[in-house]
Structures are given as structure tokens and as C-alpha cells.
Amino acid sequence: MYKKVDPKNNFVEMEKSILTLWDEKDVIQKNFQMNEGNEYFTFYDGPPTANGAPHIGHVVTRVIKDLIPRYKVMKGYKVLRKAGWDTHGLPVELEVEKTLGISGKPEIEKYGVEKFIKKCKDSVFTYASQWKDMSERVAYWIDMDNPYVTYQNEYIESVWWSLRQLWDKELLYKGHKIVPYCPRCGTSLSSHEVAQGYKDVKDSSAYVKFRL
């Protein structure tokens, strides 16, 4: 019933042959087009930042995430699989600062804020081709030809629209909380940014005594 499997198979070559087969038969696009007219299930990729190279951790998350759209297709849903690129945040700015040989807000302002933003926009797709290749090799089926990009006006407007919906439904509230802070960058930090190397340090202090 089944073809005999050669125990000496080259797994890398097997991967490539399967990718070639999928490409020749347009398997992925056919999967995207399945269940036309049925109920939608929309999958937006939690976007990576493409100015950093992919690593083994990204492979694991992409494989796990891919299970959900595949399962939904098998359940009869019309699945929209949208890739995305995260193009903002401190990691992008820090990478550009290193490239330019500058450090901190005063030097960014001296360089020119508009010029700096343009450099950031140019840098965010540095490793995009590596991300695409990695995603294809691990069979992460997602539309990377028409991604959403977080610096595009359409995306920004959609975020403001969402906030307005929350405001109209009285789901927004004002609160206070303590957050990590970066004195060099002059900004609070997200948990993701803290995970990139936040640490407690000992700092020397000088005390001077005066007679009252």
C-alpha cells in the first residue's frame, strides 16, 4: 500500500522536493482558496520585527501557530491568513542608533528626527527575505505577499478606529501602574523590551554633610 521508505534519505533534500511539488501544483494558494463562501476565520500573524534575523524560537512558534489555520480549514472555514511586520519600538531605534554611531534622544534630534525615522523605516525589512525563506521551509502557510505593516497609515488608522469603538462602549479607563524605565532612551519599557536585557545595577552616590 505504501512506498518503502529509504532509511538513508537526505531530509534536507526531501524538504526541498516537497516545496518544489507544492510550488508546481500551487498547493498553498489552493489551500488559501478552499471553502469559498463559508464562514470566515481570520488569522493575523503576531508580527515579527524584520530587522532581526529569525532563530529557532521563531521556528517553534510559527509551527505551533500554523496548526490553528490548518485545523480551521479542515473544519470548513474560509481562512484568511495575513502575515505582518512589526515596524516600531525601541529595538528598531536602537539598531539604527548603532548603525549611525549615535546614542540617545539629544543626538537623534541633532541628526534630525525626520531623517532618523526614515532610517528606521528603511531598516525594518533588513532580514525580510530570511523570514520568508524560514517560513516556507517550516511550511508556515501564510500570505506574505500582502502583509499588514504597522507603520502604514491604514494600519495606524485601524488602531485608532478600534480605540474609538472601545471608548464608545465605555471600556477604556484611566489607571496608574509602575513600569520599568530607561533613562538613556527617556521612555518607559514594555515587557518585551525589558526581556532584551534589563538589569539591576549598583550606582555610587556622594553624600555631603552640612551643619544646620
Side-chain angles (χ1 to χ4, degrees):
M1 184 181 287
Y2 298 105
K3 291 179 182 177
K4 192 173 180 181
V5 176
D6 184 353
K8 295 180 181 176
N9 263 325
N10 183 317
F11 290 110
V12 174
E13 290 308 314
M14 284 174 67
E15 280 183 9
K16 290 179 179 177
S17 68
I18 291 168
L19 287 172
T20 302
L21 176 70
W22 287 349
D23 190 45
E24 287 171 353
K25 296 189 177 294
D26 206 18
V27 171
I28 298 171
Q29 279 304 316
K30 285 176 181 174
N31 184 268
F32 288 174
Q33 292 159 9
M34 284 179 71
N35 306 327
E36 208 66 65
N38 289 5
E39 186 180 349
Y40 282 114
F41 179 84
T42 305
F43 179 86
Y44 278 87
D45 187 18
T49 305
N51 76 327
H55 54 70
I56 190 64
H58 295 119
V59 172
V60 174
T61 54
R62 261 159 148 61
V63 168
I64 293 170
K65 282 194 288 186
D66 192 59
L67 294 172
I68 299 162
R70 286 177 190 250
Y71 173 73
K72 287 295 185 180
V73 169
M74 290 191 289
K75 295 295 283 184
Y77 287 88
K78 167 64 178 173
V79 179
L80 305 177
R81 309 183 192 202
K82 191 81 168 171
W85 295 116
D86 189 353
T87 57
H88 63 276
L90 276 182
V92 176
E93 293 178 24
L94 295 173
E95 194 68 30
V96 172
E97 284 184 56
K98 286 178 192 172
T99 305
L100 295 173
I102 61 177
S103 179
K105 281 189 175 181
E107 289 192 37
I108 291 172
E109 289 169 359
K110 188 177 176 183
Y111 175 78
V113 173
E114 193 172 342
K115 278 166 61 182
F116 184 77
I117 291 170
K118 187 177 184 312
K119 284 280 186 187
C120 287
K121 282 185 173 183
D122 292 341
S123 82
V124 291
F125 297 113
T126 304
Y127 299 102
S129 61
Q130 287 187 28
W131 279 95
K132 196 168 188 297
D133 291 344
M134 179 272 281
S135 299
E136 287 176 356
R137 284 298 294 275
V138 299
Y140 184 53
W141 289 2
I142 196 159
D143 182 7
M144 297 191 78
D145 295 325
N146 304 286
Y148 69 93
V149 181
T150 59
Y151 74 57
Q152 289 176 345
N153 286 338
E154 293 86 353
Y155 177 85
I156 296 167
E157 286 165 5
S158 74
V159 175
W160 280 111
W161 175 86
S162 301
L163 279 170
R164 178 58 194 256
Q165 304 308 303
L166 295 172
W167 174 263
D168 289 343
K169 293 174 184 177
E170 299 183 352
L171 295 172
L172 291 181
Y173 69 93
K174 183 177 180 180
H176 301 276
K177 69 174 183 177
I178 297 169
V179 294
Y181 184 82
C182 174
R184 189 203 74 86
C185 303
T187 183
S188 56
L189 300 173
S190 69
S191 57
H192 176 69
E193 288 159 351
V194 170
Q196 299 208 342
Y198 191 85
K199 59 185 178 183
D200 292 321
V201 295
K202 290 184 178 179
D203 202 3
S204 301
S205 298
Y207 297 89
V208 182
K209 293 196 334 184
F210 292 95
R211 188 181 298 280
L212 285 173

